[in-house]
Amino acid sequence: MTAEFAFVFREDFCKWLLGGEMRLRDGCRSVIARALRDREGVSQKVFAAYLNVTPSLVSKWERGEKHPQGAALKLLSLVEKKGLEIVA
């Protein structure tokens, strides 16, 4: 799945920025995490380091086994808007 397709998918099925916080349906969170990582061109290990989570957790997000929440979800929102360098 390309990042561009994922963002079109997001627009159709996800809700963004309600009350200043990114809120997504659980299935969309996995798509967004992978699309953002692909867009930034980094490995799961590098992406995890920027978000202060484990590479295993990033992998679980991308497989839909777990979903980003809390601080990680907020950081993903910032990465989506401003790029990975914003959390560097």
Side-chain angles (χ1 to χ4, degrees), residues 63-81:
R63 292 192 314 264
E65 293 176 13
K66 291 198 172 215
H67 307 289
Q69 52 190 339
L73 187 58
K74 193 68 163 182
L75 288 174
L76 284 172
S77 177
L78 289 171
V79 170
E80 192 273 333
K81 291 178 193 173

Side-chain angles (χ1 to χ4, degrees), residues 31-67:
V31 171
I32 298 304
R34 176 62 189 260
L36 289 174
R37 187 174 68 78
D38 284 348
R39 184 188 79 186
E40 298 298 325
V42 296
S43 66
Q44 288 180 342
K45 185 176 181 178
V46 170
F47 199 60
Y50 276 103
L51 299 176
N52 198 30
V53 298
T54 65
S56 174
L57 184 56
V58 171
S59 177
K60 288 177 183 177
W61 289 344
E62 292 180 2
R63 292 192 314 264
E65 293 176 13
K66 291 198 172 215
H67 307 289

